[in-house]
Amino acid sequence: MAEFRHLHAAHCESGVTAALLRHQGLELSEPMVFGLGSGLFFFFPPLVKVMGMPLISFRSYPGNIFKLVCKRLGVEYERSTFRSAERGKRELDELLARDTPVGLQTNMFWLSYFPSEFRSQFNGHNLIALAEETDGYRLSDPMLEEFVHLDAEALERARFAKGVLAPRGALYYPTSVPSNPDLAKAIKVAVSGGAKRMLDPVPIIGVHGIRRLARGVRSWKSKERRKQKLLLGHIIRMQEEVGSGGAGFRFMYAAFLQEAGERLDFKPWLEASERMTEAGDCWRSKFARACAHIIKDRGEDTLDDVADALVECADKETALFRFLLANAPSKSVHSLATDTAAASR
Amino acid sequence: MREEDVPQEKSFYQGHRRACYAVGKDEQYVLAKSAGWEVERVATEQALLELEEQVEDARLKAEAGAVSPLAYHFATRQMTPKMAAQHAGLSTWRVKRHLKPAVFARLSKELKSLYSRVLDVPVEELERVPSTPRHVFLSDEAEANHG
């Protein structure tokens, strides 16, 4: 088996999936994987609280990107969870002994190779285990630039942490990849599927969820200033930290649309890519910056400005996803070539 | 975001860089690396100071004998009693009882070693809290860098 190449990625799960598939000979860029896995998402349910803060998610359920990409490309895979940590460790060790890189779902708090400022009780972090080595494991964590080492006890704590989204030792790896997958078809399905999901009429997901968050922000005026600031900081952290959510996801999706448009020679996706970049800039420069100003008592921004920025982001994305659904390529559009040049960018 | 606008600002990354996608030459998306973004740092710092406050609050209460040292160790692990209960396989009600100094003082060896394993804190440290305030999440180095 070829030597495993580390992939430094913008999002853990798309990075892990791209690296695992590449190791099996299927070269896809991280944005391509992110797009094929419909990684762009928004979820803001009422009442649900995590550590006293409302649940706001910019990402889909952990494991979803990997599963969707495999399904859409016809990749076969194994995925298991374990009741007993002992069995989970044995299974991992057996796979590694056979030189199989394994994707793992983990809790970030116990990953001691991260700066302490990034360690939090978040159960949806994905990474790749490569080999057992003295006192632990050699890992490829897509958030970092290099391979890392983690001791066995810490990895076990991370894999078997409890609570919301508990990983239950989840491990996954592709078992066989098709030699010539129908990428054009998979992209078409992914683009329309992703757009439909973001336009879903259920008011707590997609663009409607974003509008609901805007209304929520306006309603926080009655709260004390300190609480307002904590809530705004919380949204930014969900957006930027927990897997580089909001703006970062928009830029990655724009990169996906650009690559898809070029591969299939389909102009409307190139236009959609530019518009998605604008949406990302709106999240970044207008929304997140206004939040930071309020937290730091700089400038004149108010909660209404924050909510207006959210509505603007939602408006841009609503128009963009409708545009994508209205401009789907005809059945006759095929992938120009299954070359892998774009993947190495 | 254009490649030249990818933020290279103060952060808590401690030398690490994060990957992100940005528009480069010829309008092509490229993978770029960011050393940090002020907006993100502000939100991170706010959350960490809040967590440090909870840790210090628990430390003072434990010192004053209002709660058991367990409350302090939960805070340093960012765990609520409910989460600690899930990890330990105990009921939340029982774990909350162990936060009472009198109940904690009578805790069996087995339960103490269970908490020691769950929290990754040696048994002898489990029974006390530091005598002076100290940061758990915010490294002093990071603080010095950012004032």
Side-chain angles (χ1 to χ4, degrees), chain A residues 117-159:
Chain A
E117 286 82 358
F118 285 84
R119 295 170 62 187
S120 69
Q121 292 284 356
F122 168 63
N123 276 327
H125 184 65
N126 292 272
L127 53 86
I128 299 170
L130 293 172
E132 251 191 291
E133 54 188 15
T134 321
D135 302 330
Y137 293 88
R138 181 174 165 81
L139 307 177
S140 170
D141 188 315
M143 288 283 103
L144 300 173
E145 292 171 89
E146 307 283 344
F147 292 109
V148 284
H149 171 91
L150 185 68
D151 73 66
E153 198 192 315
L155 185 63
E156 185 168 313
R157 286 180 191 282
R159 291 180 66 203

Side-chain angles (χ1 to χ4, degrees), chain A residues 39-339:
Chain A
L40 203 60
F41 191 51
F42 187 84
F43 181 52
F44 177 42
L47 304 174
V48 187
K49 297 262 166 102
V50 180
M51 300 290 278
M53 286 287 171
L55 175 69
I56 301 166
S57 180
F58 286 82
R59 51 178 289 166
S60 47
Y61 202 80
N64 212 46
I65 292 180
F66 178 78
K67 282 185 209 165
L68 269 179
V69 171
C70 289
K71 186 179 135 200
R72 286 174 175 161
L73 291 174
V75 172
E76 286 171 34
Y77 66 91
E78 281 291 334
R79 183 184 163 92
S80 339
T81 53
F82 304 87
R83 277 170 176 236
S84 118
E86 201 181 317
R87 280 198 51 209
K89 180 180 183 336
R90 205 185 320 141
E91 175 77 17
L92 174 65
D93 292 350
E94 278 169 20
L95 285 163
L96 296 180
R98 277 184 270 143
D99 262 345
T100 308
V102 183
L104 300 175
Q105 187 184 329
T106 57
N107 175 305
M108 272 187 98
F109 188 88
W110 302 106
L111 303 178
S112 46
Y113 51 78
F114 281 119
S116 64
E117 286 82 358
F118 285 84
R119 295 170 62 187
S120 69
Q121 292 284 356
F122 168 63
N123 276 327
H125 184 65
N126 292 272
L127 53 86
I128 299 170
L130 293 172
E132 251 191 291
E133 54 188 15
T134 321
D135 302 330
Y137 293 88
R138 181 174 165 81
L139 307 177
S140 170
D141 188 315
M143 288 283 103
L144 300 173
E145 292 171 89
E146 307 283 344
F147 292 109
V148 284
H149 171 91
L150 185 68
D151 73 66
E153 198 192 315
L155 185 63
E156 185 168 313
R157 286 180 191 282
R159 291 180 66 203
F160 290 92
K162 306 288 197 304
V164 183
L165 303 178
R168 289 178 295 138
L171 59 80
Y172 53 93
Y173 53 97
T175 49
S176 90
V177 301
S179 53
N180 203 2
D182 191 345
L183 194 56
K185 189 178 152 206
I187 292 172
K188 279 184 263 183
V189 171
V191 169
S192 68
K196 277 182 197 145
R197 203 165 63 146
M198 284 298 284
L199 291 173
D200 196 297
V202 175
I204 59 173
I205 65 179
V207 293
H208 291 100
I210 299 171
R211 291 181 205 281
R212 204 178 88 77
L213 179 60
R215 291 195 296 276
V217 169
R218 282 187 225 280
S219 77
W220 295 343
K221 276 180 221 158
S222 58
K223 295 185 189 292
E224 55 169 326
R225 181 90 174 150
R226 182 186 136 80
K227 183 72 181 170
Q228 291 175 359
K229 290 180 177 184
L230 282 173
L231 284 161
L232 293 176
H234 172 69
I235 312 178
I236 300 185
R237 277 198 323 288
M238 293 302 109
Q239 183 190 326
E240 295 304 327
E241 249 174 47
V242 182
S244 94
F249 276 17
R250 268 73 196 168
F251 298 132
M252 183 146 58
Y253 205 78
F256 159 68
L257 288 170
Q258 183 177 69
E259 192 183 332
E262 283 167 6
R263 274 180 181 243
L264 273 67
D265 194 21
F266 187 62
K267 293 273 181 323
W269 285 350
L270 300 178
E271 186 191 329
S273 169
E274 285 174 27
R275 293 171 67 170
M276 186 53 91
T277 305
E278 285 171 25
D281 286 333
C282 183
W283 278 102
R284 228 185 119 70
S285 310
K286 291 202 175 151
F287 167 71
R289 216 169 273 281
C291 290
H293 284 164
I294 293 180
I295 294 169
K296 279 284 178 189
D297 293 312
R298 290 177 199 146
E300 317 255 287
D301 293 285
T302 62
L303 286 178
D304 277 323
D305 294 321
V306 170
D308 289 346
L310 279 173
V311 170
E312 190 181 332
C313 294
D315 284 345
K316 281 186 195 297
E317 293 184 13
T318 306
L320 161 65
F321 290 121
R322 285 193 182 141
F323 172 83
L324 280 172
L325 288 180
N327 289 280
S330 67
K331 287 221 161 35
S332 60
V333 176
H334 293 294
S335 186
L336 283 179
T338 48
D339 72 293

Side-chain angles (χ1 to χ4, degrees), chain B residues 28-44:
Chain B
Q28 288 290 316
Y29 259 95
V30 292
L31 183 74
K33 292 182 181 189
S34 168
W37 185 32
E38 166 70 9
V39 169
E40 186 196 294
R41 194 189 67 78
V42 164
T44 307

